[in-house]
Structure formats: C-alpha cells, structure tokens
Amino acid sequence: MKKLKNLLGGLLLALTVLAQPALAAEPSTLRIGYQKSSVSMVLAREHKLFEAALPGTQVQWTEFLGGPPLIEALNAGSLDIGNIGDIPPIFAQAAGIDLQYFAVEPNEGKTEAVLVPKASAVQNVAELKGKRVALLKGSSAHNLFLKSLLRAGLQWKDVNVVYLSPSDGRAAFEQGKVDAWVVWDPYYSAAVVDGSARVLGDGQGLNPAGSFFVVNGPFAQQHPQAIATIIQTLGKAQRLSLDQPDESIVLMAGTLGLPPAVVKSYFEHRSPAPIRPLQAIDIANQQRTADLFFANGLIPKKVDVQQVVLKPQ
C-alpha cells in the first residue's frame, strides 16, 4: 500500500510538472494593436474571439492609424502583437527593433492604390513626374508607390513625396495640396466610393506580400505556445468575414463609423487566402522588398528577413 501511495504521489507530481508549461502558455494579458484596415482583427475584437480562446487572459485593444505608430508601441513595450503591412516590419528590423513575424494574410494587391482627384488630367503613374504625392512613410503605401514608379520607368527622386498620415493625406488631397495620394483600405475605398478620387493603379502585378502579424520579442519568448492559438483565432475571424459577409460588413460599418458601401468595397478587394504562418515564398517576397528599399536608399542598412521570422514551436 505504501509503495502504491508513493507511486501515485510521484505520478501526481509528474503530471503537475507537465501541466505547468501548458498553464504558462496562456498569458495573463494580451495587448493587441490593430488598424481599421484589419478586418480579421476588428471582427475578432467585436466577437470576443480572443477572450473565448484564451479564457484566462485579459485582452486589451488599441487602434492605430497606420503601421509605423503601431511599431513604435511594440518597441516601447506597450503592445504584445499587432497587424501591419509589409514595410513597417522592414523599417523596424533596420532600426534594430525587437519583433518577429508570426503570421501573414496574403493579398492580391487590390487593397491599396495610387489615387488622383476624379477631375485630374493625370492618366498614369508616369505622368506623376514632378508632382506632389502624399503617403505615410514606412507604410505599405510606401512600398506600393516605389514599385509603381519603377514599373512606370521613374525613380523615387522624380516625384515630390510628402509624408502624411492617412487623415492628413486625405485633407491635403481634398484641398488640392497634393496631386496624388497613396493609401490602403478602407481609406482608399472611402475616397473612391464618395466620388472624390479615381484609381491610377493598385498593387496587382507588383508582387504584393500581404499583411503581417508581428509579436514583440519578450512575448514571443515567454508565451510561444500561445502563438498557435492566436493564429487559429485570427483564422476564425477571417472565416467569419468570408462565410458571413453581409453580417460582417454591417458590423464593421457600425463599429468603424463607415458607410456600408465603403466596407463592402474593401471586402471585395480582399483575398480569401487563409491567415497562416509564414512560408518560404512570403519570406522571399519580403526579402526582395527589403533589398529594393535598401537599393533605393529608403532604409539605412540591409536586413535579413529570415532572422526575425518566429520559428514554429
């Protein structure tokens, strides 16, 4: 009997030790940075999907107007994860910021565009030579415009780029202070749907990388098992937008204060490709973009994207 008790005691101790990593995998707090452009993030917030997937975790949400300020918050330690375009993490890596890619939402290049006023005489990107163009520095719009210029036979120095936030860019665009505006959805769809802009070109055919999900270094080290749950939860949110588009459009329109027609346009620009961990093709696409930015003097040093991709646990 004594041997049996000792055996049961040892087994209980072993099970307790084995259970500890699983318990540690669920963080006490998950601080999420998101943008209006992230449908999956917004739907996950509204449906409380992270709260359901991580019941022992307090979930906190912070909205950002673009990727660069979100990166700053990650760097300051006030966020754990965030959703950004392709260029912010490249700028972050070049600046030595401790973050890692953990998932990607591929797209076909339809969710951002180079816009001109509806009455503008400019008919193609090549005609922007010498013109003033607004965009957010270090954003996916930065990448779209560089690649658009190169495809049109122009160089970065051939245009007068004005770095503005989406809200300031919209104001400058409407007031005629800039000749073009490069921006992503839903800002892009809003300008087209209300009739103030037309599309000069989007990212189709420019090897778009997609939208990325990043995590700060300390969180990735402390809660590696939680990352798989986070990816699954984001995938569930994305499926809601695909399986229940009408309901999702109404929900997002009300949440973001946007007309349903704008959100519908944005949904039509999105790709149905699932959110997933990065694959070799995603890393290669990001590396080509990083090399292109370095070659054009837009980042201070070369970066090796592979070094900041979170390895599966």
Side-chain angles (χ1 to χ4, degrees), residues 182-252:
V182 192
V183 75
W184 56 91
D185 271 320
Y187 307 101
Y188 150 33
S189 285
V192 172
V193 169
D194 73 12
S196 64
R198 61 180 170 82
V199 177
L200 207 59
D202 60 19
Q204 294 182 84
L206 291 175
N207 200 29
S211 177
F212 291 98
F213 298 88
V214 294
V215 56
N216 71 30
F219 186 91
Q221 292 175 1
Q222 295 165 16
H223 306 288
Q225 294 97 331
I227 298 299
T229 301
I230 290 170
I231 296 174
Q232 292 169 1
T233 303
L234 289 167
K236 185 175 181 180
Q238 183 190 34
R239 287 192 296 275
L240 279 173
S241 71
L242 298 172
D243 298 340
Q244 303 174 16
D246 293 339
E247 296 90 334
S248 296
I249 287 170
V250 170
L251 179 60
M252 283 203 66

Side-chain angles (χ1 to χ4, degrees), residues 49-81:
L49 299 184
F50 282 108
E51 289 83 349
L54 298 166
T57 300
Q58 180 186 11
V59 182
Q60 300 173 0
W61 295 86
T62 304
E63 181 183 333
F64 293 84
L65 294 177
L70 192 154
I71 289 289
E72 291 176 8
L74 274 169
N75 186 43
S78 57
L79 290 180
D80 299 312
I81 66 170

Side-chain angles (χ1 to χ4, degrees), residues 287-299:
Q287 189 61 58
R288 280 193 291 270
T289 297
D291 293 343
L292 183 66
F293 265 63
F294 177 73
N296 283 271
L298 296 174
I299 56 174

Side-chain angles (χ1 to χ4, degrees), residues 15-27 54 222-223 225-226 229:
L15 290 173
T16 301
V17 171
L18 287 172
Q20 285 176 351
L23 292 172
E26 187 165 318
L54 298 166
Q222 295 165 16
H223 306 288
Q225 294 97 331
T229 301

Side-chain angles (χ1 to χ4, degrees), residues 112-181:
E112 53 194 359
V114 181
L115 305 177
V116 293
K118 200 162 189 180
S120 173
V122 175
Q123 297 299 316
N124 55 62
V125 172
E127 293 178 9
L128 289 175
K129 185 173 182 178
K131 304 289 187 182
R132 289 170 57 84
V133 180
L135 58 87
L136 178 62
K137 183 177 182 179
S139 69
S140 60
H142 205 157
N143 185 26
L144 169 63
F145 194 50
L146 174 60
K147 290 180 177 178
S148 297
L149 288 175
L150 296 175
R151 182 168 63 179
L154 298 179
Q155 300 295 317
W156 191 257
K157 63 183 180 181
D158 291 329
V159 294
N160 297 314
V161 174
V162 182
Y163 292 124
L164 296 172
S165 69
S167 56
D168 290 339
R170 175 72 188 250
F173 183 76
E174 292 180 337
Q175 294 166 12
K177 295 180 179 178
V178 295
D179 301 289
W181 181 33

